[in-house]
């Protein structure tokens, strides 16, 4: 166990830290900011990598800083919103999923001081590190849409979103409730968690309406701030063809700016800057997203607020902060922000951080931008979009089947295999993206 001592700064409460002695921890070999899937996965892989090299870290040498009470398997929110799973099964107490050999500091980060290899928590405590990994996720800007928070809280508004634990099951209730009228699904321009998710729930709702004999009475429309259905042409073309075949309206470069639940009206701004109003019976909203406030404007952020890292080795771009790494949604990596991306980023970061700590230089591991969007297109069918930097497809099953078409096999991967892999392998640092349980070597 670490030899822990007090600092001159405000100290952490013993109740907020695991693996502490009678005094308070002040420094760790590795500090990971964020206890989501990226943070726990990479912390576990780092611990495992040192152990494999015969240089095992002591329990508590790695710390995760996160004040959240729960850990969420966010990927399952679409399944909850489709009536396939119960939302209670998508979250667990955060402390229960962080391995016991990793310290958990139940605090939020307030600021970074990379020049002194330290950070300050919301309570004013200073934590020092040899290396820092930022895996804090992103921020959902609910208030960026006028009237949205109130509409989501109103059980009679007809407005829901898969992007919140509190409202993902409301989405299912709204799908079941609608008998006729207009069902509108939105997607903003810019970054969102899993860019395919806004239309996944639309396709599942469409199929549910069809299977229950309501589709003829409900008009389904997709309003997206993007110019196409998807960022990768192969899948975008296939999804647009599907949209036309299924009679779903497509309204491109339309960003939702306001919701009026009393009059059941949504207001969009189009590419020309004009306001367009649409009446809805049911409205599913994907809110705008962006970098977290405590990262924006910090020394480790780029001009847009993301943690600035090299897109191939995941090390900070500023040579002064070479002991800082980042992955996942908070990073500047120019790829789609998905859990699949994290599973490919984590081994690269782990190898390069291990080499940096061991020799002072990063290793040979490189990230090619791989990410994946398992696009549900109905019950029992899924289009598995896999691609890398530049929007170039990088498909796992292309030799066996056309991944530009929906397949039943892919549906069961998402529904059954991926959740089991997540809870039983990924959080233990034993899942490596499209390679499964087979650890990559460099």
């Amino acid at each position: 166990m670490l030899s822990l001592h007090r600092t001159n700064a405000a100290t952490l409460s013993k109740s907020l830290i695991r693996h502490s002695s009678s005094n308070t921890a002040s420094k760790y070999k590795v500090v990971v900011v964020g206890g989501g899937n990226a943070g726990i996965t990479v912390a576990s892989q780092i611990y495992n990598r040192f152990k494999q090299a015969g240089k095992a870290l002591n329990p508590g040498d790695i710390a995760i800083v996160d004040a959240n009470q729960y850990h969420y398997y966010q990927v399952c929110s679409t399944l909850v919103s489709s009536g396939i799973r119960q939302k209670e099964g998508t979250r667990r107490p955060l402390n229960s999923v962080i391995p016991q050999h990793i310290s958990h500091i139940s605090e939020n980060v307030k600021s970074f001081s990379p020049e002194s290899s330290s950070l300050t928590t919301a309570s004013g405590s200073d934590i020092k590190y040899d290396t820092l990994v930022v895996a804090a996720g992103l921020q959902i800007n609910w208030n960026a849409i006028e009237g949205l928070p109130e509409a989501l809280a109103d059980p009679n508004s007809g407005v829901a979103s898969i992007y919140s634990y509190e409202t993902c099951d409301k989405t299912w209730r709204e799908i079941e409730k609608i008998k006729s009228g207009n069902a509108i699904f939105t997607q903003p321009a810019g970054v969102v968690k899993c860019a395919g998710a806004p239309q996944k729930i639309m396709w599942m709702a469409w199929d549910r309406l069809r299977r229950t004999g309501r589709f003829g009475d409900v008009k389904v429309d997709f309003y997206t701030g993007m110019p196409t259905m998807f960022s990768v042409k192969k899948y975008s073309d296939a999804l647009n063809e599907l949209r036309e075949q299924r009679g779903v309206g497509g309204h491109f470069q339309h960003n939702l700016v306001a919701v009026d639940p009393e009059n059941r009206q949504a207001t969009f701004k189009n590419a020309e800057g004009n306001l367009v109003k649409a009446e809805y019976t049911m409205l599913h909203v994907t809110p705008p997203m962006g970098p977290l406030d405590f990262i924006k404007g910090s020394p480790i952020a780029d001009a847009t607020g993301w943690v600035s890292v090299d897109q191939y080795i995941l090390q900070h771009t500023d040579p002064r902060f070479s002991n800082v790494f980042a992955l996942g949604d908070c990073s500047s990596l120019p790829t789609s922000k998905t859990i699949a991306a994290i599973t490919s980023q984590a081994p690269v970061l782990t190898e390069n951080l291990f080499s940096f700590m061991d020799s002072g230089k990063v290793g040979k591991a490189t990230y090619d931008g791989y990410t994946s969007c398992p696009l549900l297109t109905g019950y029992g069918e899924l289009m598995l979009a896999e691609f890398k930097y530049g929007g170039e497809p990088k498909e796992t099953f292309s030799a066996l089947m056309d991944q530009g078409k929906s397949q039943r096999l892919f549906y069961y991967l998402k529904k059954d295999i991926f959740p089991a892999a997540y809870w039983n392998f990924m959080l233990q640092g034993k899942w490596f993206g499209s390679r499964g349980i087979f650890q990559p070597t460099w």
Side-chain angles (χ1 to χ4, degrees):
M1 176 167 285
L2 283 172
S3 174
L4 307 176
H5 58 277
R6 294 187 184 274
T7 66
N8 293 326
T11 55
L12 294 167
S13 166
K14 286 169 60 180
S15 64
L16 297 179
I17 185 168
R18 196 166 69 189
H19 287 306
S20 66
S21 66
S22 58
N23 291 327
T24 300
S26 65
K27 186 174 182 179
Y28 298 86
K29 291 188 179 299
V30 182
V31 168
V32 179
V33 177
N37 52 63
I40 298 178
T41 295
V42 78
S44 296
Q45 289 192 16
I46 291 168
Y47 183 88
N48 295 345
R49 180 66 181 89
F50 275 89
K51 187 175 181 179
Q52 289 169 357
K55 302 177 180 182
L57 300 176
N58 294 322
D61 276 355
I62 302 173
I64 290 176
V65 184
D66 193 321
N68 283 309
Q69 182 180 359
Y70 292 103
H71 176 94
Y72 299 88
Y73 180 45
Q74 299 175 59
V75 177
C76 259
S77 62
T78 310
L79 300 180
V80 173
S81 299
S82 304
I84 297 171
R85 289 187 178 272
Q86 297 298 311
K87 74 176 185 179
E88 291 76 14
T90 68
R91 75 174 187 180
R92 296 181 184 179
L94 176 56
N95 207 43
S96 73
V97 296
I98 296 176
Q100 286 297 309
H101 49 265
I102 295 174
S103 291
H104 174 209
I105 301 171
S106 187
E107 284 244 49
N108 286 325
V109 173
K110 179 182 179 181
S111 62
F112 297 94
S113 300
E115 66 282 352
S116 61
S117 295
S118 67
L119 58 83
T120 303
T121 68
S123 70
S125 300
D126 290 335
I127 301 173
K128 293 184 177 294
Y129 54 79
D130 290 336
T131 56
L132 173 69
V133 178
V134 188
L138 52 66
Q139 182 169 289
I140 299 180
N141 298 315
W142 301 101
N143 290 319
I145 299 173
E146 182 183 345
L148 178 58
E150 297 81 5
L152 288 170
D154 181 354
N156 300 311
S157 67
V159 180
S161 178
I162 64 171
Y163 281 95
S164 164
Y165 181 83
E166 287 72 28
T167 64
C168 61
D169 52 347
K170 186 186 182 188
T171 305
W172 171 243
R173 292 194 296 272
E174 293 299 336
I175 292 171
E176 289 296 89
K177 187 189 303 182
I178 188 170
K179 305 300 179 186
S180 61
N182 302 318
I184 293 177
F185 297 81
T186 77
Q187 177 172 348
V191 170
V192 297
K193 288 175 177 281
C194 187
Q199 61 181 293
K200 292 178 191 178
I201 188 58
M202 178 183 73
W203 295 127
M204 296 301 281
W206 179 92
D207 198 22
R208 179 64 178 170
L209 293 170
R210 179 186 66 86
R211 290 168 180 261
T212 53
R214 292 175 284 157
F215 180 70
D217 299 315
V218 178
K219 185 176 185 298
V220 178
D221 284 282
F222 186 45
Y223 282 78
T224 174
M226 306 302 289
T228 60
M229 290 292 287
F230 199 72
S231 60
V232 179
K233 188 178 187 304
K234 172 179 179 176
Y235 309 116
S236 182
D237 290 347
L239 290 164
N240 197 56
E241 182 180 351
L242 190 67
R243 180 187 66 77
E244 292 175 345
Q245 289 173 352
R246 293 181 172 183
V248 172
H251 307 267
F252 300 97
Q253 295 182 295
H254 280 65
N255 279 297
L256 181 67
V257 295
V259 178
D260 178 0
E262 184 175 347
N263 295 302
R264 294 290 179 111
Q265 194 171 77
T267 302
F268 299 87
K269 181 176 285 187
N270 65 17
E272 291 74 38
N274 299 320
L275 297 181
V276 178
K277 296 184 181 296
E279 295 183 352
Y280 69 85
T281 309
M282 172 197 166
L283 176 66
H284 177 269
V285 178
T286 301
M289 303 177 198
L292 290 154
D293 287 338
F294 76 92
I295 294 177
K296 286 188 292 187
S298 74
I300 64 172
D302 65 14
T304 58
W306 307 107
V307 182
S308 183
V309 291
D310 182 281
Q311 70 180 53
Y312 301 110
I313 61 175
L314 282 66
Q315 184 184 39
H316 203 278
T317 55
D318 190 330
R320 296 176 300 162
F321 310 145
S322 58
N323 62 338
V324 176
F325 297 78
L327 78 165
D329 295 354
C330 71
S331 74
S332 62
L333 298 172
T335 192
S336 185
K337 297 182 183 297
T338 69
I339 191 172
I342 290 166
T343 63
S344 291
Q345 293 163 13
V348 173
L349 188 153
T350 296
E351 187 64 25
N352 287 330
L353 181 146
F354 168 78
S355 180
F356 178 81
M357 292 184 68
D358 190 49
S359 68
K361 297 180 180 180
V362 297
K364 298 179 180 179
T366 58
Y367 174 58
D368 63 3
Y370 173 84
T371 188
S372 174
C373 291
L375 291 152
L376 288 160
T377 54
Y379 292 85
E381 58 179 83
L382 185 147
M383 183 185 300
L384 185 59
E386 295 179 288
F387 50 99
K388 59 183 180 179
Y389 287 143
E392 181 183 347
K394 183 185 178 182
E395 299 176 337
T396 305
F397 302 96
S398 59
L400 302 175
M401 58 191 74
D402 182 0
Q403 290 190 214
K405 296 183 182 298
S406 299
Q407 307 286 349
R408 180 172 290 273
L409 168 64
F410 299 154
Y411 174 82
Y412 287 103
L413 284 177
K414 177 177 176 65
K415 176 177 173 290
D416 300 316
I417 302 301
F418 292 160
Y422 182 81
W423 294 115
N424 297 303
F425 293 95
M426 185 174 174
L427 297 182
Q428 287 76 44
K430 299 176 180 178
W431 188 260
F432 305 98
S434 59
R435 298 177 60 92
I437 62 174
F438 299 102
Q439 185 174 355
T441 57
W442 286 277

